[in-house]
Amino acid sequence: RKEVEQDPGPFNVPEGATVAFNCTYSNSASQSFFWYRQDCRKEPKLLMSVYSSGNEDGRFTAQLNRASQYISLLIRDSKLSDSATYLCVVNNNQGGKLIFGQGTELSVKP
Amino acid sequence: DADVTQTPRNRITKTGKRIMLECSQTKGHDRMYWYRQDPGLGLRLIYYSFDVKDINKGEISDGYSVSRQAQAKFSLSLESAIPNQTALYFCATSDSGGGGELFFGEGSRLTVL
């Protein structure tokens, strides 16, 4: 079983749609969780950290469920510019290494 | 100028050749990493270094070696390249107290024929 798993998609949605991505992790001792965004052929960049209480940044909401060992990312009112691959990242607490999921591709259409 | 710079950006080489990918950073971070990205597999950690005297293997270190020449420089070597090392390679840095934000270079696309 992979340490961090995501639905690879692709998710094809119309502009204005709400879309949600889920990510599961296997190490129950993991403490830190993040969502990164990667545009085609570009480097990944931090989108947002995921806190235990959940957090929101504009149209983006991230949530953590420790009991079920998954994190989620909700994007409301999708924009064309949201088209990218979204990477779930977990700090597995083994020497501070960050483990990446395989990424979920999102395509927002007009 | 980019905070994390990788060279070369693109390289085509032949099986058996020695290849070095270089990474330098101006962020003043202690921690540096090398990842490779393959379609459908996400980013996988090759090696990481938490300071100049610290080198650690990641999940896929076989066939690779690294050198941390200075706080700002971390190079990745393929001693004898093989075709399944064809991939997009990313260098990244992080602050030791930063929790989890990685700052990536723009990537080095390597093709081994």
Side-chain angles (χ1 to χ4, degrees):
Chain A
R1 180 186 174 190
K2 292 181 180 178
E3 286 195 64
V4 180
E5 291 199 68
Q6 298 180 246
D7 181 342
F11 284 57
N12 296 303
V13 303
E15 271 187 292
T18 295
V19 60
F21 307 136
N22 289 324
C23 168
T24 58
Y25 60 95
S26 61
N27 186 343
S28 60
S30 299
Q31 293 295 318
S32 306
F33 310 89
F34 311 88
W35 284 101
Y36 277 69
R37 171 190 168 130
Q38 184 176 24
D39 293 303
C40 186
R41 300 181 183 274
K42 301 277 192 176
E43 71 274 24
K45 293 184 179 179
L46 180 66
L47 177 66
M48 58 197 305
S49 302
V50 186
Y51 304 122
S52 296
S53 56
N55 49 303
E56 187 174 311
D57 182 3
R59 298 181 293 108
F60 298 83
T61 301
Q63 291 193 316
L64 167 64
N65 184 319
R66 286 190 183 274
S68 301
Q69 293 181 208
Y70 80 81
I71 66 175
S72 64
L73 177 68
L74 182 76
I75 305 175
R76 292 181 299 277
D77 189 21
S78 299
K79 311 292 185 189
L80 296 177
S81 58
D82 294 333
S83 297
T85 296
Y86 292 83
L87 301 163
C88 171
V89 184
V90 175
N91 183 331
N92 67 2
N93 265 15
Q94 293 177 3
K97 292 184 295 184
L98 294 177
I99 307 298
F100 284 75
Q102 71 268 49
T104 298
E105 184 182 346
L106 172 66
S107 179
V108 181
K109 306 292 187 184
Chain B
D1 288 340
D3 293 326
V4 183
T5 303
Q6 292 183 229
T7 57
R9 294 290 313 281
N10 288 284
R11 181 74 183 268
I12 299 173
T13 191
K14 295 182 178 180
T15 297
K17 294 291 187 182
R18 183 177 187 273
I19 295 296
M20 179 180 287
L21 305 180
E22 299 189 3
C23 177
S24 62
Q25 52 116 345
T26 58
K27 296 193 74 66
H29 289 165
D30 291 324
R31 299 182 175 191
M32 298 188 74
Y33 310 79
W34 275 103
Y35 287 88
R36 68 175 277 177
Q37 187 172 35
D38 299 275
L41 295 178
L43 280 87
R44 292 181 292 166
L45 183 62
I46 306 172
Y47 271 96
Y48 62 104
S49 169
F50 283 176
D51 65 43
V52 175
K53 297 179 181 179
D54 176 73
I55 300 289
N56 304 282
K57 293 183 177 180
E59 54 184 312
I60 53 162
S61 58
D62 287 349
Y64 301 95
S65 63
V66 290
S67 175
R68 185 82 185 265
Q69 301 97 322
Q71 187 204 33
K73 295 184 182 295
F74 192 38
S75 60
L76 176 71
S77 293
L78 289 69
E79 295 301 326
S80 180
I82 56 177
N84 76 1
Q85 291 177 313
T86 293
L88 181 58
Y89 291 84
F90 285 105
C91 174
T93 74
S94 71
D95 190 308
S96 57
E101 183 168 10
L102 291 173
F103 295 84
F104 285 86
E106 294 180 303
S108 297
R109 186 166 295 280
L110 177 65
T111 302
V112 183
L113 302 176

